[in-house]
Amino acid sequence: VVSVFFIVGVIFVPVGVVSLLAARDVVEIIDRYDEACVPGNMTNNKLAYIQNETISKVCIRNLTITKAMKQPIFVYYELDNFYQNHRRYVKSRNDAQLRDRRKANQTSACEPEKTTANGQPIVPCGLIAWSLFNDTYSFTRGSENLTVDKKDISWKSDREHKFGKDVYPSNFQNGALKGGATLEPTIPLSEQEDLIVWMRTAALPTFRKLYGRIYFDLKVNDTITVRLNNNYNTYSFGGKKKLVLSTATWLGGKNDFLGFAYLIVGGLCIFLAFAFTLLYFIKPRLVTFNSSLLQSAWKVISCVLDIHVTF
Amino acid sequence: MSARIKEMVRVATARLGGEQAGAGGASSSSGFGRRESTARLGGAGTSFRRQPQPMAPTVRTVYCNDRDANAPVGYKGNSVSTTKYSILTFLPKGLFEQFRRVANLYFLMISILSTTPISPVHPVTNVVPLSLVLLVSLIKEAFEDWKRFQNDMSINNAHVDILQGQHWESTPWKRLQVGDIVRIKQDGYFPADLLFLSSTNPDGVCYIETANLDGETNLKIRKALEKTWDFVNPEKASGFKGEVQCEQPNNSLYTFTGNLIVDKQTIPLSPNQLLLRGCSLRNTVYIIGAVIFTGHETKVMMNSMNVPSKRSTLEKKLDKLILALFATLFSMCVIGAIGSGVFINEKYFYLGLRGHVEDQFNPKNRFVVTILTMFTLITLYSTIIPISLYVSIEMIKFIQCTQFINNDLHMYHAESDTPALARTSNLNEELGQVEYIFSDKTGTLTRNLMEFFKCSIGGEMYGTGITEIEKGGAERAGIKIDDDEGKRSASAVHEKGFNFDDARLMRGAWRNESNPEACKEFFRCLAICHTVLPEGEETLEKISYQAASPDEAALVAAAKNFGFFFYRRTPTTVMVRESHVERMGSIQDVPYEILNVLEFNSTRKRQSVVCRFPNGRLVLYCKGADNVVYERLADGNHDMKKTSREHLEQFGSAGLRTLCLAYRDLNREQYESWNEKFVQAKSSLRDRDKKLDEVAELIEKDLILIGCTAIEDKLQEGVPACIETLSAAGIKIWVLTGDKMETAINIAYGEASIYLDFLVNNDTKQFIISSETDAIRETEDRGDPVEIARVIKDSVKQSLKVFHEEARHSLISTPERNLALIIDGRCLMYALDPTLRVDLLGLSLICHSVVCCRVSPLQKAQVTSLVKKGARKITLSIGDGANDVSMIQAAHVGIGISGQEGMQAVMASDFAIAQFRFLTDLLLVHGRWSYLRLCKVITYFFYKNLTFTLTQFWFTFQTGFSGQRFYDDWFQSLYNVIFTALPVIIVGLFDKDVSASLSKRYPQLYKEGIRNSFFKWRVIAVWGFFAFYQSIVFFYFTAAASRHGHSSSGKILGLWDVSTMAFSCVVVTVNLRLLMACNSITRWHYISVAGSIVAWFVFIFIYSAIMTSFDRQENVYFVIYVLMSTFFFYLTILLVPIIALFGDLLYLSIQRWLFPYDYQIIQEQHRDEPHEYSRVQLPETSHLSPEEARSYMISMLPRESSKHTGFAFDSPGYESFFASQQGVGVPHKAWDVARRASMKQQKAGKS
């Protein structure tokens, strides 16, 4: 047992250190903008603000870089209290339709966004596509335009196999209620990467999704200006919206958690290994088998309890 | 009808009856008494299928050799079918059987539920495991039924000669009809119940073997009616026209009443003319018979009832666990459902909840949402009930039985070629928890090798030998006894059944004794009053006696040695070669005419013979149990009665079995008048037995006591050591000795204390409750039965109270002192009275050992169920005779000794072993291991399903209680049946904490089973806690992936990536956790655990690479490859299982270090012995240590092929006989071996 603990400890501590170091290298800038982008006069009625199409949703945010960020810098949006994993939501899509042009009519699971009012199938159908996130971001550093590269933000397997190259959006967002972004009908689904990213539903109600990458190095105290279109309605359900700029290491994003977990477990194991070794010297294991003692003890107990008899 | 025929019939019947006393009397008591007893006991969960016994036409009329005449009645054909299903009914009936199991039914409902839209999972999730489980079960059923069908077919198509016109024609059995005349050749089996018409033997007798019915291997004689002797050849037989009127088909093997009407004469029929299906013909060229009962109406088939199935206590507790799981499931669902009702809200616009929304998610009706979500969640969490648990347990137990218990060479009795045999496979683990053993004495603890040891004639005691028990007692008392064989007197004779040392009686020396006349009567009684058949050459040396019980043989052998050599029996006479009667050295052959035989049975407890001396003297000789004989003695001669009774007690206390002999002279008129009544009773159709008993009472009175005999019953090999070991294991052994039915040997009361001497070592405090006290005797002399009952009851009550107090005092003041309770059958009868039961139980539970003597089979069962039900302890009954059947069936576990008293006990038992001492191996090794393994399997199943389901549960909180599934459908459906199925079965088969030898060396380890240490709620709670802990780790640690972790290219993982990762962690952890729980890790463990994990990865690699064209969500498409492109995945899959197992590891090490189980201590002590428990142990090699090589070699020797085996009662035997004949490949049944053992004995006896 001691050796097991020890071995686990010995392996885990270095792994923990390495991953913690990796996580420490990651620079992450988070900016919550849903509150701030509401005009001052409408803070009490955010819903009206977001639903009023006449009000400009453009919002300017300034971010200060606290630590130098090496390219590529990943741009994420983070939503909160958004149940992409709700049963009604998860199933509201049709993979066959997304993949195959000929199956445009297959909208079986897509309730309630199956067809338009006159029965035309919606492509892509379903709640997931319908509620596509539609805030947009553009970044400038001074006068320098930091272009956001939106290529290859989705998993290759999704792009190539789940979304057809010849499937084009049709009847999308034509209903009375608009859930979110519209899609350019001339671009095939396999190239609508925002949609593809969105449709890989998240596991938890708080999630990030990749928006794009910026191939510029950012230095400490750089100030970048974000010009964003605050279109997406999270106000009705009280969700937060955040913009996240992050670098990545081999391990991925900022993930102290894993490193700490490794360190703690490893440390605990080493500690226990020592503790057990110590225990071994202080209190050696019971090696005498005192059966007669047990026996008589058992007898007395059974007598004292005076076995209850039931018929 | 001539008187001569009557006489012959009577004698032959008597002979048959005598043999029935051996098996028949006993077995009828087992057949009926068993029924009765269980019924009265309220049945240990057993219910017998009562055969329909049509009341309407009480008489069955069969016209022999006349198919047309029988046709209107429409008797059933002779084809039998023992299959459960036919091709058409197999699926519906088989499925119905399966769905009678609650777990299967539950999953069926879940499957139906999962086809509805409220289900979060695809139907496949539940249908796949359910159908796999059903498939396995159905295949098993079909396979078994197919074997049965094949055997039925081969039986039905066996050929028999049937009379067609003037010649024999070979016809399949199934074509046989009631009334047909058939010819059976030597060694052939009777195809139906036949009326015996004629045989090639003179005197119209034939010999049959009934081994298939009752296990008796001695031959029985059947005798045809003289009227029908002539119909031997087909020409004659074709002219036979008879009408048989007999009872309707019933299941009583030993009764048959009917009349044969031939040529307008009515001749009574008895069982003696009935040849039962399943018996075989011996020593006879052929016989002719008329078919009376066919097919399912034969007595054998009507007897083939199923052994009532017992369920182990562990399984009952398992039911409770399942109930607890249901409760957990329900509360989880309630929490989730309420959550969903609260959560659902239109504000989540992205859920599209405005307008028309289905009920399940309609925020306007939260109550309906709650209710529907309840069902949704039940479907989602259905995995909490381990569907494959029951199937796995069944498989494990089955393999344990067939591979381990039946093949254990430690339990293989080489001398009789008998291995242990598990007849039921569902009680293995019960063997590991036995606390009370109820043992029969004769044949179980003792060898049932009877030797005539002492006797008392006319108040004089003869025989100087000292019994083993006396020796033991004397040695303990410090007296040294010279046990030198060489010093034995020259007069000592020791042969089979005779071990007597007293010159005063040998070689005619008895003539010089004070009472030579008494001696003469004594010897004559021994030589005449019995039902023994002599076999072999008629010389002193070569003759062998065929007796129903060894007691009888011993008595006849004794007579032989005293100079009264019984050498021949004809239907009417007994030939005795008497020496030294007229004068010293004279030898003369004396024929005694046997007029009547009053058979032995268990109620009479005596046997009498009326014989006529050549000089015309009419004498009734009687032998029987002392109390029975004493009741019927003539007045006077008190001194002799008194001394004889003292002698009886002395014999008893020396552990000898006693029997009283008496005689009575009859005068002619007296006899004639009585004989008339006797003949009348004998030919009555109704209540014949009862009437015969009544008639017997008329003549068995005013007897004159001759003396008594004492027979030693030798202890079985290894019994004391075995009992010592079992006591050390915390098992309490009760000895329940009964009157031995066969010879009404009266177990003397004092004998009990003798057995206690080795039951409990020294310094035993005995509490004796006896009906042989002076006060009771006095009352008895007054003879008022009500008064007697009252006195006995009072005294029993009094002593119970007093002893209870004393016992408790003694227990507290001197706990190391052993306490023993001895009670006799008569007192027990009163003590078992509902008002006294509690006292009896209280007292006997404190006592370390209990001996009940002179108990009836019913009382044996009552005592067993007293402890079983009253104290809720796990009981085991072990016995070898038919009188133990009720006890064997009443106990939790019944063990039959496949010994010399036939197969009755074995057939009723759950396990059969050859020797009492094998109980050590059966309980301490196999029972303990089975218990340990089963506990492990069950708790592990509980844990793995709980862990799995709880991760789902945590996820539910994150999905707005919508009931979204966390795992893909196929993950969930294959989790139980593929990814975690095999290792646990391996553990159930191979796990052993300590080796077999250590198990026996430290019997104390067994106490863990008695205390049920491994399946307590506490143990389950610990597993439950870790399941809880682990599931939290699984869910939250992997969920962290989605929040912060992403690939180095910045891409984010989705729901299915996370769930696949979590599932991988669960599979890895759960499999590794099993390894941690193992005591011994063999390569099978590694293979199965690694195999399961690999199976998962192989599955996910393939599964996520394919894309189907079906209209389904491709959730997990490419997931694993996406995951594997991130470092995060590898780190998680390393981290999460270790963190999950960390808690368990910590718990296990602390538990082992500071609060070790006994077995862990033993493990520690013997950890340096390399080949003890860490060795790879396979079934083929596990039991083979060098010292066993010899017995292994023996067992590997080619065994003689079984010539005939079982036929009825029990389907295995039934199958194998014909299978072997027809060359149908039926797997070798251990049952055959047991049977072969009995065959062997028979051969040995003959040679």
Side-chain angles (χ1 to χ4, degrees), chain B residues 407-690:
Chain B
N407 287 350
D408 188 352
L409 287 169
H410 288 295
M411 294 196 289
Y412 171 74
H413 194 230
E415 288 93 81
S416 61
D417 188 22
T418 314
L421 170 67
R423 285 170 42 84
T424 49
S425 63
N426 47 1
L427 291 174
N428 297 353
E429 74 279 8
E430 198 93 325
L431 289 173
Q433 294 185 275
V434 172
E435 186 164 1
Y436 285 88
I437 292 182
F438 298 91
S439 176
D440 173 45
K441 188 176 72 69
T442 312
T444 306
L445 296 176
T446 60
R447 283 182 210 203
N448 205 15
L449 268 185
M450 302 301 162
E451 289 182 340
F452 190 90
F453 201 68
K454 287 186 181 188
C455 62
S456 156
I457 304 173
E460 191 71 36
M461 201 199 291
Y462 299 96
T464 57
I466 296 165
T467 62
E468 297 279 330
I469 288 163
E470 283 177 312
K471 266 180 224 158
E475 267 163 32
R476 213 159 278 144
I479 305 161
K480 199 165 157 57
I481 287 184
D482 239 340
D483 186 31
D484 200 349
E485 289 289 318
K487 283 192 180 171
R488 295 188 61 177
S489 66
S491 62
V493 178
H494 196 173
E495 61 167 75
K496 185 172 180 275
F498 191 72
N499 180 15
F500 186 76
D501 177 18
D502 199 328
R504 287 179 293 169
L505 290 184
M506 307 304 289
R507 296 186 192 84
W510 51 270
R511 291 181 64 87
N512 304 325
E513 284 299 300
S514 57
N515 43 8
E517 279 309 309
C519 288
K520 219 193 292 178
E521 294 297 346
F522 186 85
F523 300 145
R524 279 201 182 120
C525 183
L526 291 184
I528 297 170
C529 181
H530 55 76
T531 54
V532 173
L533 284 178
E535 245 183 32
E537 226 175 290
E538 293 174 355
T539 61
L540 280 172
E541 293 77 27
K542 293 212 172 144
I543 201 151
S544 74
Y545 291 116
Q546 276 277 355
S549 81
D551 295 86
E552 280 220 301
L555 292 176
V556 177
K560 178 181 85 174
N561 282 290
F562 291 133
F564 287 72
F565 173 35
F566 159 68
Y567 66 93
R568 189 187 300 161
R569 181 188 281 278
T570 71
T572 52
T573 53
V574 161
M575 302 293 289
V576 181
R577 186 167 295 157
E578 299 187 344
S579 320
H580 321 296
V581 174
E582 298 301 320
R583 56 191 161 74
M584 278 305 272
S586 75
I587 293 176
Q588 61 193 75
D589 290 356
V590 187
Y592 293 95
E593 194 180 343
I594 304 295
L595 300 175
N596 307 87
V597 176
L598 304 174
E599 293 160 24
F600 172 85
N601 66 36
S602 54
T603 45
R604 282 164 45 75
K605 293 185 186 169
R606 63 189 183 274
Q607 175 183 43
S608 302
V609 165
V610 181
C611 66
R612 185 185 287 146
F613 281 44
N615 60 12
R617 181 186 169 203
L618 277 171
V619 183
L620 172 117
Y621 284 113
C622 177
K623 68 177 180 194
D626 55 359
N627 53 349
V628 177
V629 173
Y630 265 75
E631 278 171 20
R632 289 169 177 76
L633 290 184
D635 286 338
N637 208 357
H638 282 291
D639 288 348
M640 188 218 163
K641 281 187 201 164
K642 203 166 159 241
T643 43
S644 293
R645 197 185 267 280
E646 278 165 14
H647 290 165
L648 279 169
E649 275 170 17
Q650 277 182 33
F651 292 153
S653 59
L656 298 170
R657 296 154 67 105
T658 58
L659 206 59
C660 281
L661 307 185
Y663 76 100
R664 179 191 176 192
D665 276 309
L666 301 168
N667 61 43
R668 208 181 153 75
E669 297 79 47
Q670 226 179 351
Y671 172 71
E672 290 293 335
S673 68
W674 174 81
N675 192 32
E676 237 166 71
K677 290 179 199 148
F678 181 74
V679 172
Q680 217 170 12
K682 189 118 207 172
S683 53
S684 65
L685 281 181
R686 285 164 162 271
D687 298 332
R688 187 182 284 175
D689 291 341
K690 203 179 147 213

Side-chain angles (χ1 to χ4, degrees), chain A residues 237-257:
Chain A
F237 55 88
K240 297 170 198 155
K241 286 196 279 192
K242 287 173 189 166
L243 174 66
V244 179
L245 296 181
S246 169
T247 59
T249 58
W250 55 270
L251 188 59
K254 190 164 182 69
N255 203 350
D256 291 345
F257 169 75

Side-chain angles (χ1 to χ4, degrees), chain A residues 164-227:
Chain A
K165 287 186 173 59
D166 53 354
V167 182
Y168 295 91
S170 66
N171 304 319
F172 190 68
Q173 300 289 20
N174 284 352
L177 272 171
K178 268 191 182 173
T182 50
L183 293 174
E184 182 61 50
T186 54
I187 302 174
L189 290 187
S190 63
E191 287 168 33
Q192 308 262 14
E193 289 209 44
D194 278 327
L195 177 74
I196 296 171
V197 167
W198 181 253
M199 289 194 73
R200 197 175 187 95
T201 49
L204 297 177
T206 304
F207 60 89
R208 285 178 186 177
K209 296 222 177 261
L210 186 58
Y211 180 78
R213 298 187 190 80
I214 301 173
Y215 291 100
F216 292 94
D217 290 337
L218 299 178
K219 290 185 267 316
V220 185
N221 294 329
D222 275 0
T223 303
I224 54 171
T225 310
V226 187
R227 180 192 165 84

Side-chain angles (χ1 to χ4, degrees), chain A residues 18-77:
Chain A
V18 171
S19 23
L20 207 57
L21 288 178
R24 282 285 148 93
D25 282 346
V26 175
V27 185
E28 207 173 63
I29 293 165
I30 303 172
D31 179 47
R32 179 177 170 190
Y33 63 88
D34 55 318
E35 296 277 334
C37 284
V38 180
N41 57 349
M42 296 199 82
T43 42
N44 291 329
N45 199 351
K46 296 172 197 147
L47 206 56
Y49 155 76
I50 201 75
Q51 283 173 342
N52 190 339
E53 290 187 22
T54 56
I55 300 172
S56 166
K57 301 298 187 306
V58 177
C59 175
I60 308 293
R61 305 284 296 164
N62 290 316
L63 304 176
T64 311
I65 307 301
T66 51
K67 210 172 163 190
M69 294 172 87
K70 288 243 160 56
Q71 63 160 331
I73 295 161
F74 299 96
V75 181
Y76 299 98
Y77 53 90

Side-chain angles (χ1 to χ4, degrees), chain B residues 219-233:
Chain B
L219 300 184
K220 313 239 159 65
I221 297 176
R222 291 289 184 272
K223 194 159 188 333
L225 297 173
E226 198 182 15
K227 187 82 189 164
T228 61
W229 282 5
D230 299 335
F231 303 106
V232 184
N233 51 45

